[in-house]
Amino acid sequence: DLGRDLERADDTPDGPRVAVVSHAFWTTRLGADPGALGTILTLDGAGWEIVGVAPEDFREPDGTQVWLPRRHDPEACGHGCNTMEAVARLPAGMEMPALQERLTAVDRVLAAEHPDAHRDVVTEIQPLHDYRVADVRPALWILLAAVGMVLLVACANVANLLMVRAAGRRTEVAVRVTLGAGRRRLIRQLLTESLLLAMVGGGLGLALASVGVSGMVSMAPPELPRMAEVALDGRVVLFATSVTLAVALLFGLLPAAHLARRATAASLRGARGAVGGTPGRRGRSSRFLLLTGEVALSLSLLLGAALLFRTLQEVRSVDPGFRTEGVERFRIAAPGARYDTEAALAFFDELEERLQAEPAIRRVGTGFGIPLAPGNLNVSVQLRDRPPVPGPDRPTAAVRLVSPGYRQALGIPLRQGRWLAPGDRTDAPGAVVLNETAARSFYPDGEALGKRLVVDMTWGFDEQPERTVVGVVGDVRTRSLTQPEGPAIYVPNAQMGANIQYVLMELEPGAGSALPVARAIVAELDPTLALTYEERMEEVMRHESAGTRFYLTLLSFFSGLAVVLAAVGLYGVVAYAVSRRTRELGIRMALGAEADQVVGLVVRQGLAPALLGIVLGLALSWFGARSLQALLYGVEPQDPLTLVVVTGILAVVTAAAVLLPARRATRIPPATALRSE
């Protein structure tokens, strides 16, 4: 890092215009030049002197490139103006509960001195890490559990196959025992084989992970914190190696010890019987339990993926209340350093007029507080037809500062009265339009038109006029597609004077992007201004479901992998059982048993662990699905249709895994089967 940090003296209304830039900004935009300190950075038309470069690993809040002092003015934003988040480092020796007690005491003092602004204010603290991951913590725990379940399925599968393979090596091990090999030496040899197998698998897994990590990062939703730092580093390699060794020891030791014990006891006396006979009861029970667990875990993962798929369908079917197809948006600000309120309004009027004249653009509107974008503000409202109430008891609503073209550009339906008109300016009576929820909440009698209210908010103009409700429009899901709309009011920006606006452009059918034209027009009006948040509304809608798609993709991959592993395990065990019973099945067919009878016998025995696993999986899912509640929308964790469909799919897969080796057994000629030993 270079230079200095922001200081308390910078945080005054007339303090110096200084800035600290991120290390990435310094290297990519300033060429890592130490002489960049002292140069002027122009932001929104105002010059800021670069006085420092932040350390390379400092990015708070995530993605920040430039830090500026607040230049706080208590007169402009005093009590009740809650627009900032506080971050603090606790002094040595102080614990979180002690700090919380001190802040609670401050809350009581402020509530007594300024009841209108602080009466219901409660200050709560939490660790910064918890705050950053609060929204994604449930999803990350679910993904971690899914990975663990897949690992257990894979381990159970490998243990099953090792036990099956061990049963076929009893003669070899018995010979080794006869020649003097002890139990420890046998276990050591078999564990070495398991370790080699595990290390090869772990190496292939790391190779696949190195390829998959970049793809996972690219498709991750933006709300996942610090995704840019996700990489296959030394810590991951060490963790993967440790897990691989632990799994090899844990799941390789059981079949190794089992085989060594049986071989030592039987030696060559049981060699022939071991080859031709059936496996012992303990071996059958172990394989039965492992297969049951595989199917149960696979069903749980498959149900989780199916529930997220249903959620994605529900989110896509939500009616947001506004037009999404063929609409583009961008954000632009007329900086207060060069534009007073009237000049900012004139700039937006001219920009809207110039854009409307373009042949590719059908309608244009501007607004602050638009759907699915930053800048949504909640304000209290004074209803003039009611007795006056203190500030904390007044009804609240989201406020949207818009132009007359806003509703038409987004296609918001008009329910009653009229929409805001070009004449609703400072020289006209104050006007306001409510959404349906605000109309029902403020005026339960259904008579909202003509009522008067005052919005407790100012922007460019010092005073707010008393406003008359001139219309009611449909609800719009502004903050999230999955959150129902609350009370919202639309105020003419010409009567509010906001110097920040989003421009919404409805395009003619078949027209390409209008953003290049918009950039050219803005450059003609003021070349120092930049367009941000340039997106089509279809892309914005896709971003809204990006988190669900990401979790669905990963969970689908894990569940599919678990189902395949479980099917392979069933197939391997049943195929082994058929090979061990070749003589028995041949005798049955020689005595007149039909092929269907033989298939039914094998299938019934093979499906027993699968059916028990499905029952246990349903019971496990009944409890586990509740952990998915935070990620679901429009579907219950125990949705009956999802349970039936997923159970049916898994039953078909397991039946196929059992049926294939069973049908193969019927194709063995009886004479060949009788000579199998």
Side-chain angles (χ1 to χ4, degrees), residues 330 332 338-339 346-347 350-351 353-355 357-358 515-531:
F330 64 88
I332 191 166
R338 293 188 293 110
Y339 289 84
F347 170 81
E350 185 173 0
L351 174 60
E353 182 180 346
R354 293 276 297 273
L355 289 171
E358 292 294 325
L515 290 173
V517 173
R519 295 190 200 102
I521 292 175
V522 170
E524 292 177 7
L525 295 176
D526 189 338
T528 67
L529 301 185
L531 281 61

Side-chain angles (χ1 to χ4, degrees), residues 199-546:
M199 295 307 295
V200 171
L204 291 175
L206 285 173
L208 291 174
S210 65
V211 176
V213 164
S214 59
M216 182 186 71
V217 171
S218 64
M219 63 180 282
E223 62 265 20
L224 277 179
R226 306 181 69 174
M227 277 300 294
E229 302 174 39
V230 174
L232 200 65
D233 56 14
R235 294 170 298 177
V236 176
V237 173
L238 179 62
F239 175 78
T241 303
S242 302
V243 170
T244 300
L245 292 175
V247 166
L249 291 173
L250 181 62
F251 290 90
L253 187 61
L254 176 63
H258 178 70
L259 180 58
R261 182 174 58 252
R262 290 180 61 86
T264 303
S267 188
L268 284 178
R269 291 179 289 108
R272 179 174 173 80
V275 174
T278 59
R281 177 178 299 178
R282 181 175 296 180
R284 290 197 302 269
S285 299
S286 299
R287 288 194 290 275
F288 185 94
L289 293 176
L290 288 172
L291 287 174
T292 299
E294 287 185 54
V295 174
L297 294 174
S298 300
L299 179 60
S300 299
L301 287 172
L302 203 57
L303 279 170
L307 289 171
L308 284 180
F309 178 74
R310 291 285 308 279
T311 292
L312 187 60
Q313 288 183 313
E314 292 293 330
V315 171
R316 287 176 173 172
S317 65
V318 167
D319 178 12
F322 59 90
R323 181 187 297 111
T324 60
E325 296 182 359
V327 176
E328 288 185 314
R329 78 178 191 191
F330 64 88
R331 180 180 180 271
I332 191 166
R338 293 188 293 110
Y339 289 84
D340 60 19
T341 301
E342 294 295 342
L345 293 176
F347 170 81
F348 291 128
D349 287 343
E350 185 173 0
L351 174 60
E352 192 169 342
E353 182 180 346
R354 293 276 297 273
L355 289 171
Q356 186 66 72
E358 292 294 325
I361 301 176
R362 175 179 291 182
R363 298 183 183 92
V364 179
T366 61
F368 186 82
I370 72 168
L372 309 179
N376 288 280
L377 303 175
N378 269 45
V379 299
S380 59
V381 178
Q382 303 178 50
L383 305 179
R384 288 307 196 200
D385 62 325
R386 312 277 176 81
V389 295
D393 296 329
R394 294 170 185 166
T396 61
V399 61
R400 295 166 190 162
L401 318 177
V402 300
S403 73
Y406 178 87
R407 185 187 72 83
Q408 290 81 0
L410 283 180
I412 301 173
L414 181 65
R415 302 302 189 196
Q416 293 179 337
R418 70 170 178 88
W419 177 245
L420 304 174
D424 293 323
R425 305 187 73 88
T426 53
D427 56 354
V432 65
V433 171
L434 311 182
N435 72 345
E436 290 180 292
T437 299
R440 289 193 301 268
S441 176
F442 297 169
Y443 308 105
D445 58 3
E447 297 296 331
L449 295 181
K451 297 295 177 65
R452 294 174 299 157
L453 55 83
V454 173
V455 180
D456 293 333
M457 172 184 173
T458 61
W459 197 305
F461 299 106
D462 294 336
E463 296 182 1
Q464 283 301 304
E466 188 175 80
R467 301 184 180 279
T468 301
V469 178
V470 299
V472 177
V473 296
D475 288 346
V476 174
R477 300 208 171 195
T478 301
R479 298 184 184 274
S480 168
L481 291 178
T482 58
Q483 294 181 6
E485 180 72 308
I489 58 176
Y490 297 83
V491 179
N493 191 48
Q495 295 180 345
M496 185 65 72
N499 65 335
I500 302 172
Q501 290 284 284
Y502 284 87
V503 179
L504 297 148
M505 304 175 292
E506 181 193 357
L507 307 180
E508 294 288 350
S513 174
L515 290 173
V517 173
R519 295 190 200 102
I521 292 175
V522 170
E524 292 177 7
L525 295 176
D526 189 338
T528 67
L529 301 185
L531 281 61
T532 57
Y533 294 97
E534 299 173 304
E535 287 182 292
R536 294 183 73 93
M537 290 305 294
E538 293 101 326
E539 289 296 322
V540 176
M541 294 287 286
R542 276 193 285 271
H543 292 165
E544 277 295 298
S545 58

Side-chain angles (χ1 to χ4, degrees), residues 183-204:
R183 179 181 297 182
R184 289 187 178 181
R185 184 171 182 178
L186 288 174
I187 293 177
R188 187 167 61 246
Q189 177 191 341
L190 296 173
L191 270 181
T192 301
E193 296 174 3
S194 299
L195 283 171
L196 287 174
L197 179 64
M199 295 307 295
V200 171
L204 291 175

